[in-house]
């Protein structure tokens, strides 16, 4: 912010008076000019202050509460390697998703909780109208199913490698019934990082939040989320929260911490 200071010279000599009638007029004109200039300066300063205030105004995150974050049955539940779901947790409102499937014969993984299933159906339909064909590959997985899958990956790849792309039982968002892995023909219906660079992946990144989904595991944020970049993994959190998280550019963990919720000690 620039402050304009009008300084009077210490050595200036007064101008000679000519006619008495002209002196007051000149003074009044000068006063009006200086007053007008002062008002302009104040206006400029006010505008600058407003602009500066807007720029430094801190963003607030108030769409999620501590109670919601730590409620395993909640739409906003935080699930990761630190915050686990109980072994016997099963969502009560699981329904079959009505979208194109990769494994139609596997009933369990083709389910989501009702609000997420409805949102996924709407998203897939809108995508298709835009010429984007998406497929659902893996949704709900029970604690037992995750235990078997994770054990298989550990046996094949070793625990360190497996832990980068698969979750131990209880640590998987799939058990919430709110997560779906999506794919497309362009990546051979597989779950690959390159999905994020396809037209389908770009569409999902730009539009998923409109339907209440976020891309849960960001690129370059493995140290925060605990998992490698997964442009295919969508987590349902509801439209309003998804929009705010998308706008913030943060991972869900970062967003929760910005909301003033301590997830380091709980």
């Amino acid at each position: 912010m620039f402050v304009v200071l009008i300084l009077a010279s210490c050595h200036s000599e007064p101008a000679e008076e000519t006619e008495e009638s002209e002196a007051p007029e000149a003074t009044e004109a000068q006063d009006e000019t200086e007053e007008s200039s002062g008002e302009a300066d104040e206006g400029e300063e006010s505008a600058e202050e407003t602009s500066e205030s807007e720029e430094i105004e801190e963003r607030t995150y108030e769409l999620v509460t501590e109670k919601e974050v730590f409620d395993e049955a909640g739409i906003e539940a935080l699930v990761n390697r630190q915050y686990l779901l109980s072994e016997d947790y099963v969502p009560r409102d699981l329904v079959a998703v009505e979208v194109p499937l990769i494994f139609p014969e596997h009933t369990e993984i083709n389910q989501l909780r009702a609000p997420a299933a409805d949102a996924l159906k709407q998203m897939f339909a809108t995508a298709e109208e835009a010429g984007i064909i998406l497929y659902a590959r893996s949704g709900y997985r029970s604690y037992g199913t995750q235990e078997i899958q994770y054990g298989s990956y550990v046996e094949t790849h070793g625990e360190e490698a497996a832990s980068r792309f698969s979750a131990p039982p209880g640590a998987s968002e799939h058990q919430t019934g709110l997560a779906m892995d999506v794919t497309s023909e362009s990546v051979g219906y597989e779950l690959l990082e390159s999905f994020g660079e396809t037209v389908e992946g770009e569409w999902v990144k730009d539009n998923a939040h409109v339907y209440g989904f976020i891309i849960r595991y960001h690129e370059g944020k493995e140290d925060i989320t605990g998992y490698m970049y997964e442009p295919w993994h969508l987590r349902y959190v509801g439209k309003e929260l998804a929009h705010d998280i998308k706008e913030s550019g943060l991972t869900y963990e970062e967003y929760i911490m910005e909301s003033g919720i301590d997830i380091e000690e709980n």
Side-chain angles (χ1 to χ4, degrees):
M1 180 178 68
F2 296 97
V3 180
V4 179
L5 299 178
I6 303 177
L7 301 178
S9 171
C10 297
H11 304 286
S12 58
E13 296 180 358
E16 295 182 0
E17 293 184 5
T18 51
E19 299 182 12
E20 293 182 2
S21 60
E22 293 178 0
E25 291 180 2
T27 301
E28 290 175 3
Q30 182 178 3
D31 289 344
E32 289 176 3
T33 302
E34 290 178 356
E35 186 174 287
S36 174
S37 175
E39 290 175 358
D41 290 341
E42 289 176 6
E44 290 175 5
E45 290 177 14
S46 177
E48 288 173 356
E49 287 175 353
T50 300
S51 176
E52 189 173 330
S53 174
E54 290 175 351
E55 289 177 4
I56 64 174
E57 182 179 357
E58 292 185 3
R59 196 177 188 283
T60 57
Y61 302 83
E62 302 176 344
L63 296 182
V64 65
T65 66
E66 185 171 344
K67 181 179 179 180
E68 293 167 337
V69 165
F70 298 121
D71 176 9
E72 68 177 3
I75 296 294
E76 303 86 355
L78 173 64
V79 179
N80 56 27
R81 297 182 189 280
Q82 184 179 358
Y83 295 95
L84 308 180
L85 295 167
S86 56
E87 184 174 351
D88 59 354
Y89 175 70
V90 178
R92 295 181 178 180
D93 56 348
L94 287 172
V95 298
V97 296
E98 299 177 3
V99 297
L101 305 170
I102 298 298
F103 302 113
E105 69 278 11
H106 296 305
T107 304
E108 182 182 281
I109 64 172
N110 294 322
Q111 299 179 98
L112 285 178
R113 291 182 60 177
D118 289 343
L120 191 76
K121 182 178 180 179
Q122 294 174 22
M123 186 179 79
F124 274 44
T126 305
E128 186 173 359
E129 291 174 1
I132 303 296
I133 308 301
L134 300 171
Y135 293 84
R137 184 178 171 102
S138 184
Y140 170 69
R141 291 200 294 266
S142 67
Y143 186 98
T145 297
Q146 189 67 30
E147 188 172 32
I148 293 171
Q149 178 171 296
Y150 182 71
S152 175
Y153 286 141
V154 169
E155 186 176 340
T156 304
H157 305 283
E159 186 169 4
E160 183 178 351
S163 65
R164 293 189 64 238
F165 60 83
S166 183
S172 172
E173 285 196 325
H174 287 280
Q175 190 184 343
T176 66
L178 298 168
M180 176 62 77
D181 294 335
V182 301
T183 186
S184 62
E185 184 179 5
S186 58
V187 288
Y189 308 107
E190 299 291 339
L191 302 179
L192 303 174
E193 285 190 13
S194 57
F195 175 72
E197 301 171 1
T198 65
V199 292
E200 295 89 354
E202 289 285 350
W203 190 93
V204 167
K205 181 178 68 175
D206 293 339
N207 295 279
H209 67 286
V210 175
Y211 305 91
F213 292 95
I214 59 172
I215 295 177
R216 182 67 175 84
Y217 306 120
H218 292 203
E219 188 170 11
K221 298 287 186 174
E222 184 174 342
D223 59 327
I224 296 173
T225 65
Y227 298 99
M228 59 184 282
Y229 171 49
E230 294 187 359
W232 63 81
H233 181 100
L234 301 183
R235 162 66 191 275
Y236 183 77
V237 294
K239 291 182 180 180
E240 187 177 11
L241 182 55
H243 178 84
D244 209 45
I245 293 173
K246 164 73 173 177
E247 188 177 69
S248 74
L250 302 174
T251 66
Y252 194 32
E253 282 84 358
E254 291 171 318
Y255 184 91
I256 289 171
M257 288 188 285
E258 288 291 337
S259 299
I261 302 171
D262 189 350
I263 60 174
E264 297 298 325
E265 296 181 1
N266 288 293

